[in-house]
Amino acid sequence: MDNRRLSRRGLIAAIVLHVVIILGAIIMFFPFFWTIITSISPGAGLGVTPKLVPENPSLGAYERLFSEQPFGRIILNSLGLALVTTVVQLFTSATAAYAFSRLPFRGQSAIFAIYLTTMMVPLQVLIVPLFVELKTFGLLNTYLGALLPTFASIFGIFLLRQAINQVPRELDEAATLDGAGHFQTFGRIILPNIRPALATLTVFAFMSSWNSFLWPLVVLRKPELQTLPIALAGLQGQYTTEWDIIMAGSVVSVLPMLALYIFAQKYVIQGVASSGIK
Amino acid sequence: MSVSYVTIPVPEGETSPIKPPRRRRNATPRVRATYALTVLAFLLPSAIPIVLFVLGPMVAAAWVSLHQWNLLSPMTFVGFDNYAKLLADPRTADVFLHTGYYILGYLPLVYIGGLALAMALNTALKGRSLLRGVYFLPVVTSWIVVALVWRWLLNPSNGIVNTVLGFFGIDGPGWWTDPAWAMPSIILASSWKDLGFVMVILLAGLQAINTDYYDAAKVDGAGWWRRLFSVTLPLLSPSTFFVIVISLINGFQVFDQVYAMTGGGPNGASQVVVQQIYDLTFRYQRAGEASALSWMLFMVILAITLIQVRGQKKWVTYG
């Protein structure tokens, strides 16, 4: 009797849980849905609130976005910067992680501590001197200027070091016995064994570059060099009340990230989960 | 999400778990030199950018903060005048207070929301990974998009939120056009974006808890709330610590969403520290003061992080 009552209570609890969680998910997803709906509702914002099912859906806002703005160029800018950042960060993070995990040297823990402390330094603390530094080198309004400060990632070093620490030492010792030096061990043993961590870092590096705002805003002042987040912030000034255009821009900027995310969701979530706590 | 904030080291026991092999003392100078070169080869690719673009600029910022400078004409040394000026200016207290307001609103919201979600998604639930994906989606979206979308959702005249409220006969507030509602609007958008991140961290923590504890608690007759406070929360304290440290560091650096949602307005009601640094530098060309404010911000973050690291012994249990 008691058991049956408990299980009925359990069943009700499970149903309530499902309903709440799914309702929550719908609420979480709603802003994305509403963005898409707005972007295909002509005249949205000009005194018009779109309907859940738009009456005359049109891609007009997207057409205007690409005809009135250099949006193709802007997407290419963001894509190029993100790709270079990702490749360079993978390289600098992997080599540093190998040094901290496998190459004991004097002062190693002190240097690692300094690396980690830099994580606490807000970019804003650096903005004035960085700006001046890049100006001195003549790198304002250049892609290189936007890229240079992104070349090292403390997060990447930390993540990959943890991954390399998990690779059994016997593997590289066997390689050493076969006559492999550190460069070969790194390339042939370590890198293939930390592929999941490399995938996590790829997504994160790409994402942080794709979404970064403050530094590109400061260094890339010419309109043709702009990246997506800055162009989007700019749309707001130009089309104050034409929300269909602003939302079309938002959709365009989210889609590539969404594709990458769906592809690598498993790694991203694992990467976050394992990044700090063990 | 800017990724630099994703990780903060857990300070205890975080040195390399693997004992490095001792170097042989009797290695020849040639072998030693080769080894040193190898270490350099692996370290320099990251060390060069860190020195040139983080450590160097940090020192330079301290130097600039002691000068009066409009970014163009030569600098004039003024000692600690910039700091004194900032401390005397009531706006400095304002921007720190607004930043504090943001953190105090945001942190409980994402923590309690994230915990509830993590606990729910930790149970046997159909379509669990899809749901986790949906909740995590805003995390990968840029702050600018989040800010724009929420600005539209919360548009006072014809945004969907006020339209729906109007349907129920409620006269929705002016949200980001109303000084009293500007910061809550930003907090709402930020919490929506970061909820999934906190959820995943706490989920990883929950999954590390040994279920024996729950069985033992049930045998002792502990109810749901009792188990939450006596088992779950104490054993989740390392994850909680991590979330709080990260959220505070990020909270003090809040900028993108403020810039795009309100620009610090209306009437400076949502002006935060970083927006003030940005304005001082690029609107008013007062680079010395901006650098001084930057260093004040860094000191506050450093102090709060150190206090937390010290204080963690009192409430964080590893085990």
Side-chain angles (χ1 to χ4, degrees), chain B residues 4 18 28 50 52 63 67 78-79 81 95-96 106 119 142 156 179 188 196 200 222 233 252 256 263-264 268 287 289:
Chain B
S4 58
I18 299 154
T28 63
I50 287 177
L52 279 181
W63 180 244
H67 293 76
V78 295
D81 275 10
V95 294
F96 273 99
Y106 158 90
M119 286 171 68
S142 85
L188 200 61
V200 167
L233 288 181
F252 276 104
D256 293 8
E289 269 172 81

PDB file of all heavy atoms in Angstrom, chain B residues 4 18 28 50 52 63 67 78-79 81 95-96 106 119 142 156 179 188 196 200 222 233 252 256 263-264 268 287 289:
ATOM      1  N   SER B   4      38.792  33.683 -21.776  1.00  0.00           N
ATOM      2  CA  SER B   4      39.825  33.845 -20.765  1.00  0.00           C
ATOM      3  C   SER B   4      39.274  33.582 -19.364  1.00  0.00           C
ATOM      4  O   SER B   4      40.004  33.237 -18.482  1.00  0.00           O
ATOM      5  CB  SER B   4      40.382  35.255 -20.844  1.00  0.00           C
ATOM      6  OG  SER B   4      39.334  36.163 -20.650  1.00  0.00           O
ATOM      7  N   ILE B  18      52.038  14.429 -11.570  1.00  0.00           N
ATOM      8  CA  ILE B  18      53.058  13.454 -11.914  1.00  0.00           C
ATOM      9  C   ILE B  18      54.409  14.005 -11.508  1.00  0.00           C
ATOM     10  O   ILE B  18      54.775  15.119 -11.851  1.00  0.00           O
ATOM     11  CB  ILE B  18      53.042  13.170 -13.427  1.00  0.00           C
ATOM     12  CG1 ILE B  18      51.682  12.606 -13.827  1.00  0.00           C
ATOM     13  CG2 ILE B  18      54.152  12.207 -13.799  1.00  0.00           C
ATOM     14  CD1 ILE B  18      51.345  12.864 -15.258  1.00  0.00           C
ATOM     15  N   THR B  28      76.385  16.161 -19.404  1.00  0.00           N
ATOM     16  CA  THR B  28      77.444  17.000 -19.972  1.00  0.00           C
ATOM     17  C   THR B  28      76.865  18.368 -20.302  1.00  0.00           C
ATOM     18  O   THR B  28      75.660  18.504 -20.515  1.00  0.00           O
ATOM     19  CB  THR B  28      78.003  16.383 -21.257  1.00  0.00           C
ATOM     20  OG1 THR B  28      76.937  16.351 -22.209  1.00  0.00           O
ATOM     21  CG2 THR B  28      78.541  14.997 -21.023  1.00  0.00           C
ATOM     22  N   ILE B  50      52.625  36.597 -24.114  1.00  0.00           N
ATOM     23  CA  ILE B  50      52.216  36.946 -22.751  1.00  0.00           C
ATOM     24  C   ILE B  50      53.020  38.123 -22.227  1.00  0.00           C
ATOM     25  O   ILE B  50      52.483  39.062 -21.639  1.00  0.00           O
ATOM     26  CB  ILE B  50      52.313  35.718 -21.820  1.00  0.00           C
ATOM     27  CG1 ILE B  50      51.185  34.745 -22.150  1.00  0.00           C
ATOM     28  CG2 ILE B  50      52.241  36.137 -20.351  1.00  0.00           C
ATOM     29  CD1 ILE B  50      51.212  33.470 -21.369  1.00  0.00           C
ATOM     30  N   LEU B  52      54.713  40.372 -24.104  1.00  0.00           N
ATOM     31  CA  LEU B  52      54.502  41.568 -24.919  1.00  0.00           C
ATOM     32  C   LEU B  52      53.107  42.154 -24.774  1.00  0.00           C
ATOM     33  O   LEU B  52      52.918  43.353 -24.841  1.00  0.00           O
ATOM     34  CB  LEU B  52      54.746  41.249 -26.394  1.00  0.00           C
ATOM     35  CG  LEU B  52      56.192  41.229 -26.862  1.00  0.00           C
ATOM     36  CD1 LEU B  52      56.255  40.931 -28.354  1.00  0.00           C
ATOM     37  CD2 LEU B  52      56.863  42.568 -26.572  1.00  0.00           C
ATOM     38  N   TRP B  63      52.451  52.826 -15.152  1.00  0.00           N
ATOM     39  CA  TRP B  63      53.229  54.019 -15.478  1.00  0.00           C
ATOM     40  C   TRP B  63      52.322  55.135 -15.999  1.00  0.00           C
ATOM     41  O   TRP B  63      52.373  56.262 -15.518  1.00  0.00           O
ATOM     42  CB  TRP B  63      54.297  53.631 -16.510  1.00  0.00           C
ATOM     43  CG  TRP B  63      55.186  54.752 -16.961  1.00  0.00           C
ATOM     44  CD1 TRP B  63      55.278  55.257 -18.231  1.00  0.00           C
ATOM     45  CD2 TRP B  63      56.126  55.506 -16.172  1.00  0.00           C
ATOM     46  NE1 TRP B  63      56.205  56.268 -18.275  1.00  0.00           N
ATOM     47  CE2 TRP B  63      56.734  56.450 -17.025  1.00  0.00           C
ATOM     48  CE3 TRP B  63      56.477  55.476 -14.810  1.00  0.00           C
ATOM     49  CZ2 TRP B  63      57.686  57.356 -16.571  1.00  0.00           C
ATOM     50  CZ3 TRP B  63      57.435  56.374 -14.363  1.00  0.00           C
ATOM     51  CH2 TRP B  63      58.027  57.301 -15.239  1.00  0.00           C
ATOM     52  N   HIS B  67      50.432  59.661 -14.800  1.00  0.00           N
ATOM     53  CA  HIS B  67      50.614  60.807 -15.683  1.00  0.00           C
ATOM     54  C   HIS B  67      49.286  61.388 -16.122  1.00  0.00           C
ATOM     55  O   HIS B  67      48.256  60.717 -16.086  1.00  0.00           O
ATOM     56  CB  HIS B  67      51.406  60.395 -16.946  1.00  0.00           C
ATOM     57  CG  HIS B  67      52.803  60.010 -16.658  1.00  0.00           C
ATOM     58  ND1 HIS B  67      53.134  58.799 -16.096  1.00  0.00           N
ATOM     59  CD2 HIS B  67      53.971  60.680 -16.846  1.00  0.00           C
ATOM     60  CE1 HIS B  67      54.445  58.730 -15.951  1.00  0.00           C
ATOM     61  NE2 HIS B  67      54.976  59.854 -16.397  1.00  0.00           N
ATOM     62  N   VAL B  78      52.259  63.307 -12.835  1.00  0.00           N
ATOM     63  CA  VAL B  78      51.446  63.931 -11.785  1.00  0.00           C
ATOM     64  C   VAL B  78      51.422  63.104 -10.504  1.00  0.00           C
ATOM     65  O   VAL B  78      50.650  63.387  -9.599  1.00  0.00           O
ATOM     66  CB  VAL B  78      49.995  64.180 -12.250  1.00  0.00           C
ATOM     67  CG1 VAL B  78      49.945  65.200 -13.379  1.00  0.00           C
ATOM     68  CG2 VAL B  78      49.326  62.878 -12.670  1.00  0.00           C
ATOM     69  N   GLY B  79      52.248  62.074 -10.424  1.00  0.00           N
ATOM     70  CA  GLY B  79      52.250  61.229  -9.225  1.00  0.00           C
ATOM     71  C   GLY B  79      50.920  60.523  -9.049  1.00  0.00           C
ATOM     72  O   GLY B  79      50.351  60.003 -10.012  1.00  0.00           O
ATOM     73  N   ASP B  81      48.072  61.834  -8.374  1.00  0.00           N
ATOM     74  CA  ASP B  81      46.950  62.756  -8.543  1.00  0.00           C
ATOM     75  C   ASP B  81      45.714  62.111  -9.166  1.00  0.00           C
ATOM     76  O   ASP B  81      44.586  62.379  -8.753  1.00  0.00           O
ATOM     77  CB  ASP B  81      47.363  63.944  -9.424  1.00  0.00           C
ATOM     78  CG  ASP B  81      48.034  65.028  -8.599  1.00  0.00           C
ATOM     79  OD1 ASP B  81      48.329  64.731  -7.420  1.00  0.00           O
ATOM     80  OD2 ASP B  81      48.259  66.128  -9.128  1.00  0.00           O
ATOM     81  N   VAL B  95      30.132  54.139 -10.115  1.00  0.00           N
ATOM     82  CA  VAL B  95      30.358  53.042 -11.059  1.00  0.00           C
ATOM     83  C   VAL B  95      30.694  51.742 -10.328  1.00  0.00           C
ATOM     84  O   VAL B  95      30.299  50.663 -10.766  1.00  0.00           O
ATOM     85  CB  VAL B  95      31.413  53.375 -12.140  1.00  0.00           C
ATOM     86  CG1 VAL B  95      30.920  54.492 -13.045  1.00  0.00           C
ATOM     87  CG2 VAL B  95      32.770  53.702 -11.549  1.00  0.00           C
ATOM     88  N   PHE B  96      31.398  51.848  -9.185  1.00  0.00           N
ATOM     89  CA  PHE B  96      31.660  50.625  -8.421  1.00  0.00           C
ATOM     90  C   PHE B  96      30.362  50.093  -7.801  1.00  0.00           C
ATOM     91  O   PHE B  96      30.122  48.884  -7.769  1.00  0.00           O
ATOM     92  CB  PHE B  96      32.724  50.866  -7.344  1.00  0.00           C
ATOM     93  CG  PHE B  96      34.135  50.670  -7.863  1.00  0.00           C
ATOM     94  CD1 PHE B  96      34.913  51.750  -8.233  1.00  0.00           C
ATOM     95  CD2 PHE B  96      34.669  49.389  -8.010  1.00  0.00           C
ATOM     96  CE1 PHE B  96      36.204  51.577  -8.733  1.00  0.00           C
ATOM     97  CE2 PHE B  96      35.951  49.198  -8.509  1.00  0.00           C
ATOM     98  CZ  PHE B  96      36.726  50.294  -8.878  1.00  0.00           C
ATOM     99  N   TYR B 106      22.925  39.413 -10.233  1.00  0.00           N
ATOM    100  CA  TYR B 106      23.204  38.350 -11.188  1.00  0.00           C
ATOM    101  C   TYR B 106      23.583  37.031 -10.511  1.00  0.00           C
ATOM    102  O   TYR B 106      23.089  35.971 -10.882  1.00  0.00           O
ATOM    103  CB  TYR B 106      24.322  38.860 -12.110  1.00  0.00           C
ATOM    104  CG  TYR B 106      25.129  37.835 -12.836  1.00  0.00           C
ATOM    105  CD1 TYR B 106      24.731  37.400 -14.097  1.00  0.00           C
ATOM    106  CD2 TYR B 106      26.297  37.318 -12.295  1.00  0.00           C
ATOM    107  CE1 TYR B 106      25.490  36.456 -14.790  1.00  0.00           C
ATOM    108  CE2 TYR B 106      27.048  36.383 -12.975  1.00  0.00           C
ATOM    109  CZ  TYR B 106      26.637  35.955 -14.213  1.00  0.00           C
ATOM    110  OH  TYR B 106      27.366  35.031 -14.884  1.00  0.00           O
ATOM    111  N   MET B 119      20.383  19.943 -10.925  1.00  0.00           N
ATOM    112  CA  MET B 119      19.797  18.846 -10.163  1.00  0.00           C
ATOM    113  C   MET B 119      18.708  18.151 -10.981  1.00  0.00           C
ATOM    114  O   MET B 119      18.614  16.923 -10.983  1.00  0.00           O
ATOM    115  CB  MET B 119      19.244  19.363  -8.834  1.00  0.00           C
ATOM    116  CG  MET B 119      20.362  19.692  -7.851  1.00  0.00           C
ATOM    117  SD  MET B 119      19.788  20.533  -6.365  1.00  0.00           S
ATOM    118  CE  MET B 119      18.861  19.242  -5.602  1.00  0.00           C
ATOM    119  N   SER B 142      27.217  35.553 -28.768  1.00  0.00           N
ATOM    120  CA  SER B 142      28.017  36.691 -28.335  1.00  0.00           C
ATOM    121  C   SER B 142      27.179  37.638 -27.465  1.00  0.00           C
ATOM    122  O   SER B 142      25.964  37.736 -27.602  1.00  0.00           O
ATOM    123  CB  SER B 142      28.600  37.439 -29.524  1.00  0.00           C
ATOM    124  OG  SER B 142      27.675  38.368 -30.032  1.00  0.00           O
ATOM    125  N   PRO B 156      10.336  48.973 -24.554  1.00  0.00           N
ATOM    126  CA  PRO B 156       9.195  49.459 -23.761  1.00  0.00           C
ATOM    127  C   PRO B 156       7.919  49.635 -24.591  1.00  0.00           C
ATOM    128  O   PRO B 156       6.815  49.336 -24.109  1.00  0.00           O
ATOM    129  CB  PRO B 156       9.667  50.816 -23.239  1.00  0.00           C
ATOM    130  CG  PRO B 156      11.145  50.769 -23.323  1.00  0.00           C
ATOM    131  CD  PRO B 156      11.479  49.885 -24.489  1.00  0.00           C
ATOM    132  N   PRO B 179      15.645  54.648 -15.598  1.00  0.00           N
ATOM    133  CA  PRO B 179      16.842  54.499 -14.764  1.00  0.00           C
ATOM    134  C   PRO B 179      16.702  53.388 -13.720  1.00  0.00           C
ATOM    135  O   PRO B 179      17.669  52.687 -13.442  1.00  0.00           O
ATOM    136  CB  PRO B 179      16.983  55.871 -14.092  1.00  0.00           C
ATOM    137  CG  PRO B 179      16.308  56.822 -15.003  1.00  0.00           C
ATOM    138  CD  PRO B 179      15.196  56.054 -15.671  1.00  0.00           C
ATOM    139  N   LEU B 188      18.991  40.581 -16.174  1.00  0.00           N
ATOM    140  CA  LEU B 188      18.129  39.550 -16.760  1.00  0.00           C
ATOM    141  C   LEU B 188      18.800  38.922 -17.981  1.00  0.00           C
ATOM    142  O   LEU B 188      18.901  37.693 -18.106  1.00  0.00           O
ATOM    143  CB  LEU B 188      16.800  40.201 -17.163  1.00  0.00           C
ATOM    144  CG  LEU B 188      15.602  39.298 -17.351  1.00  0.00           C
ATOM    145  CD1 LEU B 188      15.287  38.572 -16.057  1.00  0.00           C
ATOM    146  CD2 LEU B 188      14.386  40.129 -17.787  1.00  0.00           C
ATOM    147  N   GLY B 196      23.365  28.425 -18.481  1.00  0.00           N
ATOM    148  CA  GLY B 196      23.834  27.133 -18.965  1.00  0.00           C
ATOM    149  C   GLY B 196      25.254  26.836 -18.530  1.00  0.00           C
ATOM    150  O   GLY B 196      25.609  25.683 -18.254  1.00  0.00           O
ATOM    151  N   VAL B 200      26.338  23.618 -16.195  1.00  0.00           N
ATOM    152  CA  VAL B 200      27.287  22.565 -16.577  1.00  0.00           C
ATOM    153  C   VAL B 200      28.354  22.360 -15.507  1.00  0.00           C
ATOM    154  O   VAL B 200      28.700  21.221 -15.163  1.00  0.00           O
ATOM    155  CB  VAL B 200      27.931  22.904 -17.941  1.00  0.00           C
ATOM    156  CG1 VAL B 200      29.128  22.030 -18.209  1.00  0.00           C
ATOM    157  CG2 VAL B 200      26.910  22.731 -19.034  1.00  0.00           C
ATOM    158  N   ALA B 222      16.480  11.166   6.297  1.00  0.00           N
ATOM    159  CA  ALA B 222      16.583  12.571   5.910  1.00  0.00           C
ATOM    160  C   ALA B 222      15.683  12.844   4.709  1.00  0.00           C
ATOM    161  O   ALA B 222      15.684  12.103   3.746  1.00  0.00           O
ATOM    162  CB  ALA B 222      18.032  12.907   5.543  1.00  0.00           C
ATOM    163  N   LEU B 233      24.786  20.285  -0.949  1.00  0.00           N
ATOM    164  CA  LEU B 233      25.483  21.574  -0.923  1.00  0.00           C
ATOM    165  C   LEU B 233      26.902  21.487  -0.364  1.00  0.00           C
ATOM    166  O   LEU B 233      27.822  22.024  -0.980  1.00  0.00           O
ATOM    167  CB  LEU B 233      24.643  22.627  -0.177  1.00  0.00           C
ATOM    168  CG  LEU B 233      23.407  23.090  -0.962  1.00  0.00           C
ATOM    169  CD1 LEU B 233      22.629  24.135  -0.180  1.00  0.00           C
ATOM    170  CD2 LEU B 233      23.787  23.637  -2.336  1.00  0.00           C
ATOM    171  N   PHE B 252      32.954  41.967 -12.265  1.00  0.00           N
ATOM    172  CA  PHE B 252      33.652  43.243 -12.190  1.00  0.00           C
ATOM    173  C   PHE B 252      34.065  43.744 -13.567  1.00  0.00           C
ATOM    174  O   PHE B 252      34.308  44.917 -13.757  1.00  0.00           O
ATOM    175  CB  PHE B 252      34.872  43.123 -11.275  1.00  0.00           C
ATOM    176  CG  PHE B 252      34.519  43.307  -9.832  1.00  0.00           C
ATOM    177  CD1 PHE B 252      34.445  42.222  -8.972  1.00  0.00           C
ATOM    178  CD2 PHE B 252      34.232  44.567  -9.340  1.00  0.00           C
ATOM    179  CE1 PHE B 252      34.101  42.388  -7.658  1.00  0.00           C
ATOM    180  CE2 PHE B 252      33.894  44.750  -8.017  1.00  0.00           C
ATOM    181  CZ  PHE B 252      33.817  43.656  -7.172  1.00  0.00           C
ATOM    182  N   ASP B 256      30.448  44.407 -22.332  1.00  0.00           N
ATOM    183  CA  ASP B 256      29.818  44.261 -23.650  1.00  0.00           C
ATOM    184  C   ASP B 256      28.313  44.474 -23.603  1.00  0.00           C
ATOM    185  O   ASP B 256      27.749  45.219 -24.399  1.00  0.00           O
ATOM    186  CB  ASP B 256      30.082  42.859 -24.230  1.00  0.00           C
ATOM    187  CG  ASP B 256      31.541  42.632 -24.569  1.00  0.00           C
ATOM    188  OD1 ASP B 256      32.366  43.502 -24.215  1.00  0.00           O
ATOM    189  OD2 ASP B 256      31.852  41.598 -25.162  1.00  0.00           O
ATOM    190  N   GLY B 263      24.470  51.509 -22.932  1.00  0.00           N
ATOM    191  CA  GLY B 263      25.584  52.445 -23.046  1.00  0.00           C
ATOM    192  C   GLY B 263      25.898  53.131 -21.720  1.00  0.00           C
ATOM    193  O   GLY B 263      26.572  54.154 -21.687  1.00  0.00           O
ATOM    194  N   GLY B 264      25.399  52.571 -20.629  1.00  0.00           N
ATOM    195  CA  GLY B 264      25.648  53.154 -19.305  1.00  0.00           C
ATOM    196  C   GLY B 264      24.475  54.000 -18.824  1.00  0.00           C
ATOM    197  O   GLY B 264      24.408  54.375 -17.668  1.00  0.00           O
ATOM    198  N   GLY B 268      23.358  57.691 -16.772  1.00  0.00           N
ATOM    199  CA  GLY B 268      24.429  57.068 -15.996  1.00  0.00           C
ATOM    200  C   GLY B 268      23.945  56.019 -15.009  1.00  0.00           C
ATOM    201  O   GLY B 268      24.723  55.524 -14.202  1.00  0.00           O
ATOM    202  N   ALA B 287      43.649  59.428 -20.572  1.00  0.00           N
ATOM    203  CA  ALA B 287      44.245  58.097 -20.460  1.00  0.00           C
ATOM    204  C   ALA B 287      44.844  57.838 -19.086  1.00  0.00           C
ATOM    205  O   ALA B 287      44.815  56.711 -18.597  1.00  0.00           O
ATOM    206  CB  ALA B 287      45.304  57.908 -21.548  1.00  0.00           C
ATOM    207  N   GLU B 289      43.820  58.976 -16.107  1.00  0.00           N
ATOM    208  CA  GLU B 289      42.748  58.606 -15.186  1.00  0.00           C
ATOM    209  C   GLU B 289      42.174  57.225 -15.505  1.00  0.00           C
ATOM    210  O   GLU B 289      41.880  56.430 -14.615  1.00  0.00           O
ATOM    211  CB  GLU B 289      41.616  59.629 -15.257  1.00  0.00           C
ATOM    212  CG  GLU B 289      41.754  60.748 -14.268  1.00  0.00           C
ATOM    213  CD  GLU B 289      40.709  61.811 -14.519  1.00  0.00           C
ATOM    214  OE1 GLU B 289      39.571  61.611 -14.067  1.00  0.00           O
ATOM    215  OE2 GLU B 289      41.027  62.806 -15.202  1.00  0.00           O
TER     216      GLU B 289
END
